Amino acid sequence: GAVVSQHPSRVICKSGTSVKIECRSLDFQATTMFWYRQFPKQSLMLMATSNEGSKATYEQGVEKDKFLINHASLTLSTLTVTSAHPEDSSFYICRAGGGRDQPQHFGDGTRLSIL
Amino acid sequence: SQQGEEDPQALSIQEGENATMNCSYKTSINNLQWYRQNSGRGLVHLILIRSNEREKHSGRLRVTLDTSKKSSSLLITASRAADTASYFCATDTQGGSEKLVFGKGTKLTVNP
């Protein structure tokens, strides 16, 4: 069964809405989680690294005020897309760190569509 | 940032044939991982190969790693229609922080 649960799987909303995406590790504690963005027919691009109990680390070019990350517990990280616009429409996927040299666990992704 | 490159970008074969996908990367790595993604879904881990390993098998999957050429290949033998998906390589770089950098992927279509 799934070891990482991501919710919701799909969101359709109007421009200007803020959208929260949750990523939960089900059977293990994850001090680190990763958020990726994937455009159609493209690869996954790392947006940020979410660290439990501390601030997230954002990749170059990713606006931290636009994509708010909270990792308040060892099993939950959230990504909030604030004041979303059509260009934010994408597929967002979280990953829970399984440790170095271990298989990694991904959520099933969230398809975000901003009208 | 470093990013792997897969080739081919798209591959279409008949059921029963073998499929080979290649991945190249740029920097030193701890390990290289292959993932599968069905359309609109998350990623499923297939195989992890460490930098000191040269070949690994898992069922119908065979992965090779050539660190001198900074390349890896994924072979799927006796393909099935259910193998239709996108396949990505991802590298865990040395000295990194568990970040995985993904290649562009190969879209595999297996025709029944």
Side-chain angles (χ1 to χ4, degrees):
Chain A
V3 295
V4 174
S5 173
Q6 185 172 341
H7 177 81
S9 59
R10 175 147 193 148
V11 180
I12 302 173
C13 57
K14 294 179 180 179
S15 184
T17 306
S18 291
V19 178
K20 180 185 283 188
I21 303 170
E22 293 187 348
C23 181
R24 293 179 184 275
S25 57
L26 300 181
D27 298 322
F28 62 101
Q29 295 180 331
T31 55
T32 307
M33 292 186 180
F34 303 84
W35 288 95
Y36 293 83
R37 181 173 183 174
Q38 185 180 32
F39 289 107
K41 299 183 180 180
Q42 293 191 25
S43 186
L44 281 74
M45 297 299 297
L46 180 65
M47 299 173 66
T49 302
S50 170
N51 305 296
E52 188 271 334
S54 64
K55 291 183 179 179
T57 304
Y58 290 81
E59 295 300 301
Q60 190 173 10
V62 178
E63 300 176 56
K64 62 181 181 180
D65 295 329
K66 174 74 172 177
F67 299 99
L68 299 179
I69 290 174
N70 185 285
H71 196 151
S73 77
L74 288 171
T75 59
L76 174 64
S77 175
T78 60
L79 168 68
T80 300
V81 184
T82 62
S83 187
H85 292 285
E87 59 266 28
D88 299 322
S89 298
S90 190
F91 192 58
Y92 294 87
I93 307 176
C94 68
R95 167 173 76 101
R100 303 305 286 269
D101 286 344
Q102 297 297 320
Q104 302 295 303
H105 306 294
F106 288 81
D108 264 351
T110 298
R111 173 76 58 194
L112 177 62
S113 300
I114 307 299
L115 305 177
Chain B
S1 60
Q2 172 226 342
Q3 184 165 21
E5 296 276 340
E6 279 101 331
D7 77 270
Q9 292 188 355
L11 180 62
S12 181
I13 59 174
Q14 296 299 122
E15 247 185 343
E17 294 180 341
N18 295 341
T20 299
M21 290 160 269
N22 302 296
C23 167
S24 62
Y25 56 92
K26 297 177 182 175
T27 64
S28 296
I29 61 171
N30 282 318
N31 64 63
L32 185 144
Q33 305 175 33
W34 283 91
Y35 289 84
R36 167 196 169 121
Q37 184 182 34
N38 287 344
S39 182
R41 301 297 299 274
L43 276 70
V44 175
H45 175 85
L46 296 176
I47 288 185
L48 181 152
I49 186 164
R50 294 179 174 80
S51 60
N52 61 352
E53 298 176 310
R54 292 297 166 257
E55 189 171 310
K56 219 165 180 181
H57 297 254
S58 177
R60 294 184 295 112
L61 307 180
R62 173 177 167 248
V63 167
T64 62
L65 178 65
D66 187 335
T67 52
S68 66
K69 295 182 179 178
K70 291 186 168 59
S71 68
S72 173
S73 69
L74 169 66
L75 168 67
I76 303 175
T77 61
S79 64
R80 305 166 182 168
D83 294 328
T84 295
S86 291
Y87 292 82
F88 294 91
C89 70
T91 51
D92 180 358
T93 57
Q94 278 187 356
S97 55
E98 291 190 63
K99 290 183 182 181
L100 285 183
V101 180
F102 283 82
K104 294 181 179 178
T106 294
K107 170 65 178 167
L108 173 66
T109 302
V110 181
N111 301 299

